[in-house]
Amino acid sequence: LVRNQGVTILLLGHPNKSGDSYSGSTAWLNAVRSQIEINRVQDGEGNVLDPDARVLTLGKANYARAGAQQAFRWHEFAFVLEEDLPSDARAELAEAQKAAAENEAYLRCLADATDRKRAVSHHPGVNYYASTFTKMPEGRGNTKAAFERAFERLLALGAIELDAKLWKRENRTYKYGIRAVDNPAEKCTDQAHRPLHQPPAPTRT
């Protein structure tokens, strides 16, 4: 078929929920010359920071270097390379990626602080969130200004709550501080990465 028709044959498969690149015991991967995987871009903890970003990875290759990657993204109803985006869209994308990374760092620090029963507050002082988060490993080198920008975004999204009841202390009084609400990681990511210059969906007649 390839020689006679001048085509390339692709076998499409969906990975299982555990993320394996093979299909059970069928071992179909052994019968092909190359394998390419398409995945969402994730951070070290498996969080998807940009729902529009994708990456192609060469998993198996007889005539190329395995592990080579190509990044691209969803834009105006098509997958395109980032370098092919209009200049204004690239600038907007860079800003959105920066905002999403700051949001994620803020929520990561807040979750860790809450798990350790370490309340943080938006009021300047010993427990000021920005001062606390910059000292935490989960902050990953973000500045106070970055956490303050994330704070304003997350507060506007309703992803965090101020002066909330966190837990009861031994004297039965509540400890108050900033609290994450309603799956804030998903909420802030979706808002920070809304589609770039996306026109309304076409209607069928």
Side-chain angles (χ1 to χ4, degrees), residues 107 110 154-155 157-162 164 178-188:
L107 293 172
L110 180 59
L154 295 170
L155 186 63
L157 291 170
I160 55 175
E161 182 180 4
L162 307 183
I178 301 174
R179 180 179 64 185
V181 295
D182 297 332
N183 197 8
E186 178 180 346
K187 188 179 296 184
C188 77

Side-chain angles (χ1 to χ4, degrees), residues 79-205:
F79 285 120
V80 299
L81 300 176
E82 289 189 8
E83 55 264 32
D84 292 336
L85 290 171
S87 58
D88 58 337
R90 289 199 301 271
E92 184 180 346
L93 171 62
E95 187 63 28
Q97 290 174 333
K98 179 181 178 182
E102 292 175 352
N103 289 357
E104 182 64 27
Y106 185 103
L107 293 172
R108 189 169 53 243
C109 290
L110 180 59
D112 187 77
T114 303
D115 288 344
R116 298 181 184 180
K117 291 193 173 182
R118 185 181 183 184
V120 294
S121 172
H122 63 293
H123 302 294
V126 177
N127 296 329
Y128 183 53
Y129 69 87
S131 300
T132 300
F133 290 171
T134 54
K135 300 174 184 177
M136 298 173 62
E138 294 79 8
R140 294 184 180 176
N142 286 273
T143 63
K144 290 178 63 175
F147 284 122
E148 288 169 345
R149 289 192 297 267
F151 170 83
E152 295 297 337
R153 286 190 296 265
L154 295 170
L155 186 63
L157 291 170
I160 55 175
E161 182 180 4
L162 307 183
D163 297 324
K165 292 180 179 179
L166 300 179
W167 57 79
K168 274 189 177 181
R169 294 178 285 197
E170 293 182 359
N171 61 4
R172 295 181 178 272
T173 62
Y174 278 100
K175 185 67 177 179
Y176 291 83
I178 301 174
R179 180 179 64 185
V181 295
D182 297 332
N183 197 8
E186 178 180 346
K187 188 179 296 184
C188 77
T189 298
D190 290 345
Q191 291 292 331
H193 286 288
R194 59 189 182 281
L196 304 173
H197 307 293
Q198 181 155 310
T203 56
R204 294 183 179 180
T205 58

